[in-house]
Amino acid sequence: MMTTSSTSPSAADAASSTASTAGTPGILPAELEDLVALFDVRATDSPTPDADREAALRSPKFGTVFTDHMARISWRRGDGWLDRRVEKYGPLQLDPATAVLHYAQEIFEGMKAYRHADGSVWTFRPDANAARFARSAHRLALPALPVDDFIGSIAALVRTDIDWVPSGEDFSLYLRPFTFASEAFLGVRPTNEAEYLVIASPVGPYFAGGVKPVSIWIDEHYHRSGPGGTGDAKYGGNYAASLLPQQLAAEKGFDQVCYLDATTNTALEELGGMNVFVVMADGSVHTPELTGSFLEGVTRSSILQLAADRGHQAVERRLPLAEVVAGLRDGTVREIFACGTAAVITPVGRLAGDEFDVQVSGGEPGELTMAIRDELTDIQYGRAADRHGWMRRLA
């Protein structure tokens, strides 16, 4: 059993990205200005009318409304990354033989931009997203985007569409960077051409009307990945593999699916798009150890750090399903929650499978679950001190 905490940024990194603290806005690092300047802004000729944008921001729905622009960089083998620009949001023109349509060579990330009380706009741990994006690219044989281009593209887009960043409790601008194989070629080999884009969508609270516990079905028949696969890459195929089990669970009346390891089919791994945590009666916080079969979440590593900061033992280990179910029945397991960028932290109120059905925390959000959720969102929105230097100001 291994006790861990997330890694804080180096002193040099922290110096280059002044942390935001409640009531003390940070300073835009000079080098970010240089990165943004690399992007040619080609403004849309049909901006969304102010009244329509304001209406969309009052009640945004996740992933359905998008800002006026998108950031973009092209890549060609032998030439590298080319033509950094921010351009009008719109459809992509693809040849029917475009490689991604046939061989699924693509990756993506998910993150948010948060408007603070003083009007400034920040994002959370972009260096961690950039590093994971590069790891995903390596696994899918795609060109790795430099960290500077990743962060510069996000800042350039946010500044161009600054009026699309909503204000209000739990409102944010969701950012979706992605890379895909754009070469028109039918053949099983790595692409010689790729496109990188960032699109943005204003989003409101994940839980309308307050945080609500979800019900989880433990799937013992399907796996979203396995040893040596693509599970630790943020790759669309992993999510496609989770859709049928999710559909079957929904037909049973459950909100989400949790998958077991593909080797023994006995240990918890992750939900279709979220990591999972178990809080024991002694206050220790446990999450499945990284095996390469599921995603190393940025929110996951942040929670490990925040739990340790509070004096809780933060443990990454193999987490047998039988132990968790027995613990819920005898009281040694007190809370379960899931985490990810979109929902931040989601309490679990019910866990069920083919041969069990147990309630979690009396069907209510757990105390530590909510305390860590509040602390994390307070950091993200600038209401609490950012003691680990996680926030990066964009505008």
Side-chain angles (χ1 to χ4, degrees), residues 2-7 124-125 275-278 283-290 294-317 337 339 345 368 372 375-376 387-388 390:
M2 177 173 60
T3 302
T4 65
S5 63
S6 61
T7 303
F124 180 71
R125 302 189 67 185
N275 295 121
V276 64
F277 279 82
V278 173
S284 59
V285 179
H286 300 240
T287 193
E289 63 186 355
L290 298 174
F294 62 92
L295 198 65
E296 182 180 356
V298 176
T299 306
R300 172 188 180 275
S301 65
S302 305
I303 290 168
L304 287 169
Q305 181 67 67
L306 294 179
D309 290 349
R310 289 171 166 265
H312 296 269
Q313 187 182 24
V315 182
E316 295 178 88
R317 67 176 176 92
F337 63 87
C339 67
I345 292 178
L368 184 60
I372 294 178
E375 182 178 8
L376 183 55
R387 58 186 178 276
H388 295 292
W390 286 336

Side-chain angles (χ1 to χ4, degrees), residues 96-109:
T98 300
V100 68
L101 302 177
H102 302 272
Y103 307 112
Q105 196 184 6
E106 62 79 36
I107 57 172
F108 68 96
E109 271 297 323

Side-chain angles (χ1 to χ4, degrees), residues 13 28 36 82 85 93 108 117 137 148 211 243 253 320 323 345 358 384:
D13 188 50
L28 287 170
V36 172
L82 308 162
R85 73 268 196 198
Q93 184 172 345
F108 68 96
D148 284 353
V211 178
L243 297 179
E323 175 190 330
I345 292 178
V358 288

